């Protein structure tokens, strides 16, 4: 089966090198492989010591292609009518200096994911490896398809008929034009692509998220939060990579305290992520640039291990019939009770964990049910739904 592997983690932990090592190993196995960067600070060209353009760079080595995505270029090529409409809209609103989707946070990164989904659908690559931006940006990126899809369901239920009816009213009352037919076609196309993208990212047989970390206090804490948020949005995390581990036999008194601290954080990571495959990557005595340098990670860490296997390491959210109604279970490892808030909003359940919020659409079966209880136990949030008194009468 064709698969997608997404690498994320705190800035500076070595995600690009780890993703590149996996891509090289995959290509070495004879699999058609694509290594993609969605980070605006691209460095795949630096790692492989070549200049990359706006299109896919073919055969960087046998079976391996590279692609540093330019989201502006993708928007112009794939959604020109939406771009044209937004630029006209911003001009009418007196925001002529705001070009297209660039004014909306997260949209550039979203188009990077849409491009990856398109490439996956074409079927020319057996494995796609995605080098993502630092943790916060990656979380925003991964949750965006679900969030935008939810808004589009609310904002565009009227379709082309609504555009035809409301267009003159909109222009007369608000001095703003509704999208024209071409733009609406693009919006509909984008909506379908969003639905496909969300399904692709949540399909555990296709997409894996791998977290790269280091044995340092701040990095370990962010890794735990990262893992919790990824579970909140129901992404499949099936690997932890601990990078830049100092050798224990280093003969230098300067590093003795560092080694002691590192040992404690290594133990903490292994205890926290027990049950997940954990890969330990040593600290190398050279900059990891070029195929020879990256191949050291392949030889030292990846060879001899089933790094491309799909592992079921965490549960999906699930609804179960209970004695008095239904129970929803959401995995939230390392969440704190005081950070969790939830409430119902029309046909959605809204869960807030720290700075992140997710809307979970409720099935029609629960349209007459209300949340009556919730508890956080052993990294899982259990939410009870029961019918109101008037419904039971």
């Amino acid at each position: 089966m064709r698969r997608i592997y997404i690498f994320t983690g705190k800035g500076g932990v070595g995600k690009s090198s780890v993703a590149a090592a996996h891509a090289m190993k995959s290509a070495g196995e004879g699999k058609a492989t694509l290594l993609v960067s969605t980070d605006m600070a691209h460095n795949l060209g630096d790692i492989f010591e070549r200049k990359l353009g706006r299109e896919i760079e073919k055969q960087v080595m046998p079976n391996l292609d590279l692609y540093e995505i330019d989201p502006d270029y993708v928007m112009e090529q794939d959604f020109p009518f939406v771009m044209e409409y937004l630029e006209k809209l911003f001009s009418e609103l007196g925001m002529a200096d705001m070009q297209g989707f660039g004014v909306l946070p997260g949209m550039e990164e979203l188009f990077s994911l849409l491009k990856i989904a398109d490439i996956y659908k074409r079927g020319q690559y057996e494995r796609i490896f995605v080098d993502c931006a630092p943790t916060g940006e990656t979380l925003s990126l991964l949750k965006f398809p679900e969030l935008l899809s939810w808004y589009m369901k609310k904002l565009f239920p009227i379709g082309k008929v609504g555009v035809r009816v409301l267009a003159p009213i909109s222009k007369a009352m608000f001095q703003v034009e509704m999208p024209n037919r071409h733009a609406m076609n693009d919006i509909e196309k984008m909506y379908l692509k969003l639905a496909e993208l969300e399904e692709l990212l949540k399909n555990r047989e296709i997409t894996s998220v791998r977290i790269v970390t280091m044995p340092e206090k701040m990095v370990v804490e962010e890794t735990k939060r990262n893992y919790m948020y990824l579970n909140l949005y129901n992404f499949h995390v099936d690997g932890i990579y601990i990078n830049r581990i100092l050798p224990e036999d280093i003969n230098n008194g300067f590093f003795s305290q560092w080694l002691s601290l590192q040992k404690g954080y290594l133990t903490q990571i292994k205890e926290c992520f027990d049950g997940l495959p954990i890969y330990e990557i040593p600290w190398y005595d050279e900059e990891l640039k070029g195929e020879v340098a990256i191949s050291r990670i392949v030889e030292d860490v990846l060879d001899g291990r089933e790094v491309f296997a799909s592992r079921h390491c965490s549960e999906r959210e699930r609804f179960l019939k209970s004695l008095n109604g239904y129970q929803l279970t959401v995995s939230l490892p390392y969440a704190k009770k005081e950070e969790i808030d939830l409430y119902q909003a029309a046909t959605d359940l809204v869960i807030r964990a720290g700075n992140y919020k997710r809307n979970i659409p409720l099935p029609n079966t629960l349209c007459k049910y209300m949340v009556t209880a919730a508890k956080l136990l052993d990294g899982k949030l259990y939410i009870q739904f029961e019918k109101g008194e008037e419904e039971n009468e």
Side-chain angles (χ1 to χ4, degrees):
M1 173 180 284
R2 293 179 292 116
R3 303 208 67 232
I4 299 173
Y5 304 84
I6 296 174
F7 289 84
T8 183
K10 186 175 174 63
V13 296
K15 298 182 300 298
S16 300
S17 300
V18 176
H22 282 74
M24 284 184 60
K25 177 175 172 60
S26 174
E29 294 179 356
K31 304 293 185 181
T33 303
L34 177 66
L35 175 58
V36 183
S37 171
T38 65
D39 190 345
M40 295 301 98
H42 297 302
N43 60 2
L44 295 187
D46 294 334
I47 289 177
F48 286 89
E49 300 178 308
R50 64 179 62 213
K51 184 174 177 60
L52 302 178
R54 288 178 155 185
E55 304 289 349
I56 294 175
E57 184 80 9
K58 300 283 189 178
Q59 295 297 303
V60 172
M61 58 185 291
N63 304 309
L64 177 61
D65 296 348
L66 299 183
Y67 187 23
E68 291 185 338
I69 295 181
D70 180 342
D72 290 329
Y73 181 68
V74 171
M75 287 188 278
E76 292 169 3
Q77 296 296 310
D78 292 2
F79 298 94
F81 293 112
V82 172
M83 294 292 293
E84 181 182 327
Y85 164 69
L86 285 178
E87 287 171 6
K88 185 176 181 180
L89 173 63
F90 293 143
S91 177
E92 291 177 350
L93 293 175
M95 298 185 293
D97 58 326
M98 296 183 175
Q99 294 294 312
F101 274 124
V103 72
L104 302 176
M107 289 301 288
E108 290 185 342
E109 292 84 353
L110 172 67
F111 276 87
S112 297
L113 279 185
L114 287 171
K115 190 64 176 180
I116 292 169
D118 277 346
I119 294 171
Y120 176 85
K121 285 173 61 180
R122 291 182 206 142
Q124 65 190 97
Y125 297 104
E126 295 175 78
R127 293 170 182 157
I128 298 175
F129 298 89
V130 184
D131 171 29
C132 279
T135 302
E137 295 173 51
T138 300
L139 289 168
S140 298
L141 172 65
L142 291 177
K143 75 177 183 178
F144 208 79
E146 178 180 302
L147 181 64
L148 187 59
S149 181
W150 182 85
Y151 276 113
M152 291 185 77
K153 286 178 185 177
K154 308 295 182 184
L155 295 175
F156 294 104
I158 55 178
K160 296 177 184 176
V161 175
V163 171
R164 187 173 67 249
V165 172
L166 294 178
I169 300 175
S170 171
K171 183 66 175 176
M173 293 185 64
F174 305 108
Q175 301 301 308
V176 172
E177 288 189 6
M178 291 286 284
N180 61 26
R181 177 171 56 84
H182 295 297
M184 200 65 197
N185 284 339
D186 264 13
I187 290 171
E188 289 178 350
K189 182 172 72 171
M190 188 170 69
Y191 175 76
L192 292 174
K193 284 178 175 288
L194 281 169
E196 293 175 355
L197 176 60
E198 184 182 343
E199 184 177 345
L200 185 67
L201 293 175
K202 300 292 181 73
N203 188 328
R204 292 169 180 243
E205 298 299 324
I206 296 175
T207 302
S208 292
V209 179
R210 308 282 174 88
I211 303 177
V212 184
T213 186
M214 292 194 306
E216 298 177 5
K217 181 177 176 59
M218 296 296 292
V219 182
V220 171
E221 291 303 312
E222 179 161 330
T223 300
K224 289 160 67 176
R225 288 193 297 271
N226 189 8
Y227 184 54
M228 177 187 72
Y229 294 138
L230 286 165
N231 275 271
L232 172 65
Y233 286 95
N234 210 9
F235 293 107
H236 181 44
V237 180
D238 68 351
I240 301 290
Y241 296 78
I242 312 174
N243 199 13
R244 298 174 185 163
I245 300 176
L246 292 167
E248 291 191 7
D249 60 354
I250 189 170
N251 188 22
N252 188 321
F254 176 76
F255 290 102
S256 58
Q257 186 175 3
W258 281 23
L259 286 168
S260 177
L261 290 170
Q262 174 183 270
K263 187 175 182 179
Y265 292 127
L266 283 170
T267 300
Q268 184 178 344
I269 293 171
K270 292 175 183 179
E271 289 175 349
C272 287
F273 298 101
D274 183 38
L276 283 173
I278 296 178
Y279 305 86
E280 299 183 29
I281 305 171
W283 185 296
Y284 291 105
D285 55 1
E286 64 174 331
E287 186 179 7
L288 292 176
K289 290 180 64 176
E291 296 173 18
V292 174
I294 295 296
S295 66
R296 296 182 68 178
I297 299 179
V298 178
E299 296 167 3
D300 296 344
V301 182
L302 306 183
D303 279 350
R305 301 188 66 174
E306 295 292 330
V307 294
F308 303 123
S310 174
R311 297 182 174 89
H312 297 280
C313 302
S314 59
E315 293 185 10
R316 299 180 66 95
E317 62 192 36
R318 54 184 180 140
F319 289 93
L320 291 176
K321 189 82 171 69
S322 63
L323 183 63
N324 299 317
Y326 290 86
Q327 185 180 74
L328 169 62
T329 304
V330 179
S331 182
L332 285 177
Y334 310 116
K336 299 177 181 178
K337 183 178 179 181
E338 60 271 19
E339 294 179 344
I340 303 297
D341 186 26
L342 62 91
Y343 56 90
Q344 281 178 265
T347 58
D348 296 335
L349 177 70
V350 182
I351 300 178
R352 185 184 293 276
N355 295 325
Y356 289 88
K357 182 180 71 172
R358 184 186 175 201
N359 289 59
I360 300 178
L362 298 175
N364 291 335
T365 307
L366 297 182
C367 65
K368 296 182 179 179
Y369 286 71
M370 300 294 293
V371 173
T372 57
K375 65 178 178 180
L376 184 65
L377 182 64
D378 297 330
K380 292 183 180 179
L381 182 62
Y382 299 90
I383 304 163
Q384 181 67 33
F385 293 85
E386 297 179 10
K387 281 189 176 182
E389 293 183 5
E390 66 278 5
E391 299 293 340
N392 288 320
E393 292 176 358

